Amino acid sequence: ALVGSWQCQVMANGVMAREQMALRPNGTFQAQVFVNGMSMSAWGRWSVQGSVIRYDYDGPPGTPSPEFVPFQMPQPNIVQTQNGTCQKVG
């Protein structure tokens, strides 16, 4: 259910950010975060343990890893986390 492309609105360090994320079936991810007119890429591996997504970052260098993100799916194609909401787009 989580594999695919997602558009997210999230709070990042107190600022609203837009994120595009691709969660691939082979367990890798690619993310692009847009905040204050700037863009940042992140990539690595992901997995699900119960209702927590684990992100193991391969880049960019210095990214704290792993990151554990508790989530809920209140309806199909919607993911809610403590920092925002994501809508599946593919």
Side-chain angles (χ1 to χ4, degrees):
L2 293 174
V3 170
S5 297
W6 296 85
Q7 295 275 353
C8 306
Q9 295 289 327
V10 297
M11 287 298 286
N13 299 321
V15 177
M16 187 58 76
R18 187 171 53 88
E19 182 175 15
Q20 297 174 332
M21 175 156 323
L23 299 177
R24 299 185 187 104
N26 68 357
T28 63
F29 74 89
Q30 178 78 38
Q32 194 76 24
V33 179
F34 304 91
V35 61
N36 291 335
M38 297 175 21
S39 172
M40 184 187 89
S41 293
W43 59 94
R45 295 169 313 286
W46 70 282
S47 61
V48 176
Q49 300 160 338
S51 60
V52 176
I53 302 173
R54 175 182 172 147
Y55 295 100
D56 289 285
Y57 291 90
D58 293 332
T63 304
S65 183
E67 179 183 14
F68 297 93
V69 180
F71 73 97
Q72 299 176 33
M73 288 188 82
Q75 57 191 20
N77 301 327
I78 298 286
V79 167
Q80 291 180 330
T81 70
Q82 61 196 18
N83 294 330
T85 301
C86 299
Q87 169 83 43
K88 195 170 194 179
V89 292

